[in-house]
Amino acid sequence: MVLETVPVEYYLVLSAAVFCTGLFGILTRKNALMFLMSVELMLNAANINLVAFSFYWGEVTGQTFALFTMALAAAEVAIGIGIILVLYRNFEDVDVTEATTLKW
């Protein structure tokens, strides 16, 4: 199996790189769609850690939490797309810096 040949440290480095990419996307972008994609990257980084440690310890708890995280990510995308559609409808752009108040 692949996980047996690759040390867990490599998965941690991969997870850190994916998480930092997502964090960089959130901190530098103004587009709401890029925000959503960056949050997805950060959640995927957490999933990589959960699955890697789950296999390392020989338990399925981490994989179960990864499934919950995937369900959470799907719900987050559904809500986020709704917010982006309303943002685009009211401002005709998805730049998050233009929507400074909750009142339109």
Side-chain angles (χ1 to χ4, degrees), residues 3-102:
L3 284 176
E4 293 174 355
T5 59
V6 179
V8 73
E9 292 88 9
Y10 290 174
Y11 292 103
L12 295 178
V13 170
L14 173 68
S15 173
V18 171
F19 187 85
C20 288
T21 303
L23 185 63
F24 179 76
I26 285 178
L27 293 177
T28 59
R29 301 292 178 167
K30 294 180 180 178
N31 190 332
L33 288 173
M34 294 301 290
F35 272 21
L36 276 179
M37 292 185 349
S38 297
V39 170
E40 292 295 324
L41 281 177
M42 293 170 78
L43 289 174
N44 283 332
N47 282 341
I48 291 170
N49 273 340
L50 288 171
V51 171
F53 280 115
S54 173
F55 185 79
Y56 182 75
W57 293 107
E59 295 180 2
V60 295
T61 307
Q63 294 173 3
T64 306
F65 280 121
L67 285 175
F68 284 123
T69 306
M70 285 186 223
L72 177 71
E76 175 252 333
V77 166
I79 293 171
I81 292 294
I83 291 172
I84 289 172
L85 286 175
V86 170
L87 186 70
Y88 183 76
R89 185 181 307 153
N90 291 321
F91 294 101
E92 296 181 358
D93 195 8
V94 289
D95 187 2
V96 293
T97 58
E98 290 186 19
T100 56
T101 63
L102 294 176

